[in-house]
Amino acid sequence: MEALLAVETNPFCPASAPFFGYIGAAAALIFANLGAAYGTAKAGVGICSMGVMKPELVMKSVIPVVMAGVVGIYGLIVAVIVGSQIKPPTGSVPQYTLFAGFSHLGSGLTAGLSGLAAGMAIGIVGDAGVRATAQQPKLFVGMILILIFAEALGLYGLIVALIMSSSAGSATCQ
């Protein structure tokens, strides 16, 4: 009876390790989409307010909404990559290490929270920028430059998340 209970387990490959990977994938998607939704909503309010007085500028002012949507795509990319690297157990032998789980958790949080910050920045700049551009068209280039720098925050998170998730594949349970 004791021989059955004395199953050898690898402390680096617990059954709970995939939980951290899946939380990382979820965090990437959820937080990045929260940022994208906030950026879209905030910039959309500015476009609607501006469009009442200058409807001919509405299509030109959609740029912040598009940039906010791209932030959500960054989160989707990381969530798909992390989710596809999570390995199910083979029989009763785990295949996914704790190192990989933590790596994927960090990767997802990096991309997700960077996306949240970028989306908030894009929304605030987009709202104020489209309203200001309606009053003074010379501000358009400045608004676009600020939006590019805000979008870069999300891109930095994506790059670091991809690097972090790629290092998780080197660990094995053998």
Side-chain angles (χ1 to χ4, degrees):
M1 182 72 174
E2 287 182 29
L4 291 175
L5 296 176
V7 175
E8 249 186 80
T9 58
N10 185 341
F12 300 113
C13 297
S16 60
F19 171 78
F20 296 105
Y22 284 119
I23 291 295
L29 191 62
I30 291 167
F31 289 130
N33 282 338
L34 278 172
Y38 180 84
T40 299
K42 186 85 167 141
V45 168
I47 292 168
C48 290
S49 296
M50 179 273 310
V52 172
M53 300 304 283
K54 299 222 177 174
E56 66 275 7
L57 295 178
V58 169
M59 290 309 291
K60 184 179 180 182
S61 300
V62 174
I63 294 170
V65 173
V66 172
M67 292 180 81
V70 170
V71 170
I73 295 171
Y74 294 163
L76 176 65
I77 291 168
V78 172
V80 167
I81 289 173
V82 167
S84 67
Q85 290 181 354
I86 299 172
K87 301 173 194 152
T90 306
S92 63
V93 179
Q95 300 297 315
Y96 190 71
T97 65
L98 202 54
F99 176 79
F102 289 149
S103 177
H104 288 148
L105 175 63
S107 175
L109 288 172
T110 299
L113 293 175
S114 294
L116 179 61
M120 292 179 73
I122 289 168
I124 293 167
V125 170
D127 180 24
V130 297
R131 291 177 198 231
T133 300
Q135 294 176 4
Q136 176 53 263
K138 292 179 181 179
L139 295 174
F140 182 75
V141 173
M143 177 190 73
I144 296 298
L145 286 173
I146 296 169
L147 287 170
I148 289 170
F149 287 118
E151 181 82 25
L153 299 174
L155 187 59
Y156 300 154
L158 173 67
I159 293 167
V160 171
L162 292 176
I163 292 168
M164 290 173 72
S165 69
S166 69
S167 68
S170 60
T172 62
C173 290
Q174 308 318 332

